[in-house]
Amino acid sequence: MSIPNAERLVVAADFTPDSTGRAGVRKKVLGLGEELQGMGIIIKLNSILRACGYDLIKQLHDLGLQVAADLKLVDIRNTLETDGTLLAEEKPEFLTVMGNAGVDGMSSLRIALPNTEVWAVTVLTTSDDTVCGEIFRCPVNEGVLGFARLAKRAGINSLILSPKEGKLVKSDSELADMKLNSPGIRYPWSEMKKDDQVRFLPAGEAVASQGIHRVVVGRPILNAGPNDDPTKPNSKREAAEWILKDITDSLAEKEKTKQREGVVTI
């Protein structure tokens, strides 16, 4: 599945509000868009999109950026169809829906957004087997495969899952052609206190070894800034550049390995 390497990076503009409230977050999102302008990456919007409205999609489009509306929609079929119809006016390139919305709900949303790639969310990357069992009454791997199959039946060909389930999905013949999008990307230089991610990998490993098509990265980029440590990026743009380089280098090394082993890539 051919994807330009720049479009393999989805930057999560999930800024935490401060005393400036949603106006301050909106300003940070647009500032991030300006800083990353021209890189070819995708911007993901979550809480701020709910707070400020769909006009924010147009503002990022005006900067030449593709937008993923991470609304994680879940509701009855009629409501999801309405959600899709209203969102269609702003033409987000990508949109998330919860896999537990069911086949009818996901299908109606997809049909209402013919020009948007819908991503079905399987099991959140903050969940381990215990949490997944409490919510869905099954371990993580079983939940991921179950929601993936529901999405497939709904005509959705893209998933949100952790990078550690990439091979699991790709090894299932029914799901092997699904596009895989993974949050839960971390690096030694991006370690943070109170990190809630429990299933994670570096971007290069996720793409080259697990078959992930796009990685969704928030805090490792958002927390980057001026510092005196040469092992850490000095800006959000530099952090994004480092991650893109990791992806490019890892895919190049994978291709070299294939060639050494006599594997022909078509």
Side-chain angles (χ1 to χ4, degrees):
M1 197 172 294
S2 179
I3 297 175
N5 280 357
E7 293 183 13
R8 292 183 182 276
L9 176 58
V10 182
V11 179
D14 299 335
F15 291 99
T16 301
D18 55 23
S19 60
T20 60
R22 65 184 179 191
V25 174
R26 185 187 193 113
K27 183 176 180 180
K28 288 178 181 178
V29 169
L30 294 174
L32 176 69
E34 291 172 356
E35 185 171 354
L36 302 180
Q37 200 171 8
M39 292 185 69
I41 56 88
I42 299 159
I43 295 286
K44 181 182 80 70
L45 303 174
N46 190 309
S47 301
I48 190 60
L49 191 58
R50 297 186 183 95
C52 292
Y54 296 165
D55 289 350
L56 190 53
I57 297 173
K58 182 180 185 303
Q59 288 184 279
L60 290 170
H61 279 165
D62 289 345
L63 292 174
L65 295 159
Q66 295 187 71
V67 176
D70 184 23
L71 296 175
K72 296 184 176 71
L73 296 172
V74 58
D75 215 308
I76 63 172
R77 177 181 182 134
N78 287 351
T79 301
L80 287 176
E81 183 177 357
T82 299
D83 282 331
T85 302
L86 293 173
L87 268 165
E89 295 181 25
E90 296 300 339
K91 302 179 177 65
E93 284 76 14
F94 310 96
L95 170 70
T96 57
V97 62
M98 295 302 295
N100 64 348
V103 174
D104 286 349
M106 288 190 285
S107 178
S108 64
L109 181 66
R110 176 188 58 80
I111 292 169
L113 286 160
N115 299 313
T116 295
E117 183 178 309
V118 180
W119 297 345
V121 180
T122 58
V123 178
L124 298 179
T125 52
T126 52
S127 296
D128 56 16
D129 282 338
T130 299
V131 174
C132 189
E134 290 172 347
I135 299 172
F136 299 121
R137 298 295 186 264
C138 65
V140 168
N141 285 358
E142 185 177 327
V144 168
L145 290 175
F147 290 126
R149 292 188 181 106
L150 290 177
K152 187 81 170 179
R153 286 172 54 199
I156 291 174
N157 202 42
S158 293
L159 303 174
I160 292 282
L161 72 176
S162 99
K164 293 194 172 183
E165 288 92 53
K167 284 184 177 179
L168 174 73
V169 171
K170 287 296 180 184
S171 65
D172 187 304
S173 59
E174 179 187 349
L175 306 172
D177 64 341
M178 300 285 271
K179 292 181 183 176
L180 308 180
N181 309 281
S182 290
I185 302 300
R186 291 292 184 265
Y187 289 90
W189 50 261
S190 68
E191 289 180 356
M192 56 203 75
K193 295 179 180 179
K194 298 181 180 179
D195 194 347
D196 54 2
Q197 299 294 313
V198 298
R199 294 163 20 244
F200 55 87
L201 288 174
E205 184 177 350
V207 172
S209 299
Q210 289 287 331
I212 301 302
H213 297 97
R214 295 188 181 92
V215 295
V216 183
V217 187
R219 283 166 283 184
I221 293 175
L222 302 189
N223 293 343
N227 65 84
D228 297 323
D229 187 342
T231 67
K232 295 182 179 181
N234 272 282
S235 68
K236 296 174 180 59
R237 188 181 183 95
E238 186 173 42
E241 290 171 344
W242 284 20
I243 293 169
L244 285 175
K245 185 177 186 304
D246 180 32
I247 292 171
T248 300
D249 290 350
S250 297
L251 286 173
E253 184 58 36
K254 179 180 180 180
E255 186 61 29
K256 288 179 183 177
T257 300
K258 284 182 178 180
Q259 292 175 2
R260 285 196 298 267
E261 295 174 351
V263 178
V264 177
T265 302
I266 298 175

